[in-house]
Amino acid sequence: MFKDSLCSSRCYNRYIILNCCYKNCDFNYKFLGEVIMAEETLFTKIIKGEIPSSKVYSDDLVTAFKDIAPKAQHHILIVPNKPIPTVSDVEPCDEALLGHLFTVARKIAEELGVSRSGYRLIVNVGPDGCQEVPHIHMHFLAGGNLGMGGFPVKK
């Protein structure tokens, strides 16, 4: 599926890539190399450990941490380690990485004991979609009835 030579300027048009490649090892993809953004985001600093956070999951592709302004009992941000500004910037070579966000969400749901009762995943895109940080991220919300608007029903 993916080959070492996959990386191209088309897939990383906003980044400088050094020693970048994906490996296909029984669908176990790893990002190898260093990605440098023209402008760092809050999330790239959290991923690199420059800003403290309450991490709940981390691997070569994804970092997940608690939101500092939770909107539910469990509000976790699941962020790809590769900085992609918005869904509008996604390329075909990002499919495995973005699919991994859902696998991590499932793992977090199982650890929190909400995989059967339910949870919500939200991705905001651009200013009109209320995206606050220009780095794709998935909001994981769980704990109680989340209602139709995305946030818990007030009792």
Side-chain angles (χ1 to χ4, degrees):
M1 187 178 208
F2 288 108
K3 296 181 180 174
D4 291 348
S5 61
L6 173 71
C7 297
S8 69
S9 60
R10 178 181 56 78
C11 291
Y12 301 98
N13 58 358
R14 295 182 182 224
Y15 314 105
I16 300 168
I17 304 299
L18 305 172
N19 304 319
C20 171
C21 65
Y22 281 89
K23 293 257 185 191
N24 181 354
C25 180
D26 296 327
F27 296 99
N28 181 15
Y29 302 105
K30 290 189 176 183
F31 182 70
L32 305 173
E34 182 179 357
V35 178
I36 302 170
M37 275 189 75
E39 183 178 331
E40 288 199 12
T41 68
L42 174 69
F43 293 162
T44 58
K45 291 178 181 179
I46 290 171
I47 291 164
K48 292 192 299 187
E50 295 173 1
I51 295 177
S53 68
S54 298
K55 288 185 183 174
V56 296
Y57 181 88
S58 183
D59 65 22
D60 292 343
L61 299 173
V62 172
T63 301
F65 49 90
K66 293 180 181 179
D67 194 298
I68 60 168
K71 304 290 189 241
Q73 180 183 355
H74 303 288
H75 188 169
I76 296 165
L77 301 178
I78 306 171
V79 182
N81 294 343
K82 174 187 172 186
I84 306 168
T86 73
V87 172
S88 300
D89 298 297
V90 170
E91 296 288 347
C93 65
D94 297 319
E95 289 180 19
L97 170 63
L98 298 176
H100 189 57
L101 295 177
F102 287 90
T103 304
V104 171
R106 180 194 53 115
K107 290 177 185 178
I108 292 170
E110 289 170 355
E111 287 179 18
L112 294 174
V114 297
S115 61
R116 295 286 180 236
S117 61
Y119 52 97
R120 180 164 288 140
L121 302 174
I122 300 171
V123 177
N124 299 320
V125 181
D128 288 346
C130 298
Q131 181 180 1
E132 295 178 5
V133 178
H135 187 142
I136 287 179
H137 55 285
M138 178 184 287
H139 293 261
F140 175 101
L141 299 163
N145 184 334
L146 296 175
M148 292 303 293
F151 303 112
V153 174
K154 296 195 179 182
K155 294 180 181 179

